[in-house]
């Protein structure tokens, strides 16, 4: 028996998130079907995270246990040959049997992409959120600085019933822009349900002066979802990096 650590990327447009569901097509279902064919045995994969319908991943980790002696290169080539164009295997390596993609994860980085223009971008309709006005980057950066650190992020959680704590640590929150594109990069030790999308939506409300920059500490302190801003659309969100060591997580 072997345990394989696999990195994959996918375009989430055609899927109802990563995790297997009984009534909808998911990334996990497609991967398991193709892996089972290549490995010539039924397999179940363990993913590093759940992603919502329409959310994408530049780097998503899963592990799979198999009796196959296929080489790691053969695995990548064989599975990629079976997968649809919107899912790709990036790498594969043998890891200890006790490695688990979710439970061994030390942190993640997400990005949120926006196209800020009155005119839509026909090449990114499902890959960037179309924000039909100028985005106030200076105000958003100032507001985002309050997210950095260890806080109770209950105000930025759509459903907190299934978590033991809503305290999380955000290591960095950068906002970059080039032309009409704005990208938010958020790195932390963990994230609550819809946390990044609510943060992004709140910064949009800051840009529009619906929420003042100085309100952010009070919103965090309130621990009340109704105090924060809108939930940004799913198709602008990407799981960008997954970290399995503290050194890697704290780099940059």
């Amino acid at each position: 028996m072997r345990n394989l650590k696999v990195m994959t990327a996918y375009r989430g447009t055609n899927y109802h998130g990563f995790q297997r569901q009984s009534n909808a097509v998911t990334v996990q279902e497609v991967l398991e079907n193709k892996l089972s064919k290549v490995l010539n045995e039924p397999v179940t994969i363990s993913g590093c995270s759940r992603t919502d319908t329409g959310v994408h991943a530049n780097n998503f980790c899963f592990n799979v246990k198999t009796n196959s002696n296929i080489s790691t290169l053969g695995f990548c080539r064989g599975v990629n040959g079976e997968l649809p164009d919107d899912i790709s295997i990036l790498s594969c390596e043998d890891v200890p049997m006790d490695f688990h993609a979710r439970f061994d994860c030390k942190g993640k980085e997400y990005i949120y992409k926006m196209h800020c223009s009155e005119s839509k971008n026909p090449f990114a309709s499902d890959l960037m959120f179309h924000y039909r006005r100028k985005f106030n980057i200076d105000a958003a950066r100032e507001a985002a600085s309050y997210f950095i650190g260890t806080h109770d992020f209950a105000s930025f959680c759509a459903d907190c019933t299934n978590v033991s704590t809503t305290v999380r640590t955000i290591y960095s929150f950068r906002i970059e822009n080039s032309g009409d594109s704005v990208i938010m990069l958020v790195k932390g030790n963990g994230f609550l349900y819809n946390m990044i999308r609510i943060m992004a939506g709140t910064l949009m409300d800051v840009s529009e002066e619906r929420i003042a920059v100085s309100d952010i500490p009070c919103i965090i302190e309130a621990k009340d979802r109704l105090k924060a801003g809108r939930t940004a659309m799913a198709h602008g969100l990407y799981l960008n990096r997954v970290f399995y060591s503290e050194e890697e997580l704290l780099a940059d």
Side-chain angles (χ1 to χ4, degrees):
M1 179 71 74
R2 304 162 65 196
N3 191 17
L4 301 177
K5 176 185 176 184
V6 184
M7 300 303 297
T8 184
Y10 57 84
R11 183 172 182 154
T13 306
N14 295 323
Y15 303 100
H16 289 258
F18 174 81
Q19 190 170 8
R20 188 190 312 106
Q21 298 181 31
S22 60
N23 59 349
V25 178
T26 66
V27 177
Q28 182 178 9
E29 176 188 348
V30 173
L31 282 169
E32 287 178 344
N33 288 342
K34 302 308 182 185
L35 264 66
S36 296
K37 180 177 180 180
V38 172
L39 298 173
N40 198 31
E41 62 180 340
V43 296
T44 299
I45 66 177
S46 300
C48 64
S49 178
R50 301 177 181 182
T51 55
D52 292 338
T53 299
V55 173
H56 317 288
N58 292 326
N59 281 279
F60 185 101
C61 182
F62 69 83
N63 70 287
V64 58
K65 295 183 178 179
T66 177
N67 291 304
S68 173
N69 62 1
I70 190 172
S71 69
T72 54
L73 178 58
F75 175 94
C76 293
R77 288 177 173 175
V79 178
N80 274 331
E82 296 290 336
L83 287 171
D85 291 340
D86 52 9
I87 305 177
S88 177
I89 301 298
L90 303 178
S91 65
C92 173
E93 62 180 302
D94 282 277
V95 290
M97 290 301 295
D98 61 354
F99 173 83
H100 193 285
R102 177 184 173 192
F103 299 131
D104 288 340
C105 180
K106 304 298 184 184
K108 303 182 183 75
E109 179 183 71
Y110 283 88
I111 61 177
Y112 195 86
K113 295 185 177 182
M114 301 166 58
H115 174 66
C116 303
S117 171
E118 182 62 36
S119 301
K120 61 185 178 182
N121 181 349
F123 305 104
S125 59
D126 62 333
L127 299 175
M128 301 178 75
F129 173 62
H130 183 199
Y131 187 74
R132 294 178 174 84
R133 53 183 63 83
K134 182 176 176 60
F135 187 70
N136 188 336
I137 293 208
D138 290 337
R141 283 174 174 160
E142 185 180 353
S145 69
Y146 289 109
F147 294 140
I148 298 172
T150 301
H151 307 287
D152 188 327
F153 285 99
S155 292
F156 299 87
C157 179
D159 182 1
C160 300
T161 57
N162 294 322
V163 295
S164 58
T165 177
T166 49
V167 174
R168 298 290 186 273
T169 299
I170 299 300
Y171 296 107
S172 63
F173 198 126
R174 307 199 317 269
I175 304 177
E176 302 174 355
N177 76 295
S178 177
D180 292 332
S181 296
V182 170
I183 300 178
M184 304 178 190
L185 301 95
V186 190
K187 183 164 64 171
N189 67 351
F191 297 92
L192 302 166
Y193 181 54
N194 281 352
M195 182 171 162
I196 301 294
R197 291 170 58 191
I198 298 170
M199 285 177 160
T202 299
L203 295 183
M204 293 177 201
D205 284 342
V206 168
S207 176
E208 296 169 28
E209 299 182 352
R210 297 172 184 267
I211 293 176
V213 170
S214 58
D215 288 340
I216 300 299
C218 297
I219 293 172
I220 295 173
E221 185 65 27
K223 304 173 190 176
D224 180 356
R225 171 65 189 94
L226 297 178
K227 300 296 184 182
R230 73 188 83 171
T231 302
M233 298 294 288
H235 63 272
L237 184 62
Y238 296 68
L239 176 55
N240 194 47
R241 291 192 290 174
V242 187
F243 303 101
Y244 287 97
S245 72
E246 294 288 346
E247 293 78 13
E248 188 182 24
L249 175 62
L250 299 177
D252 295 343

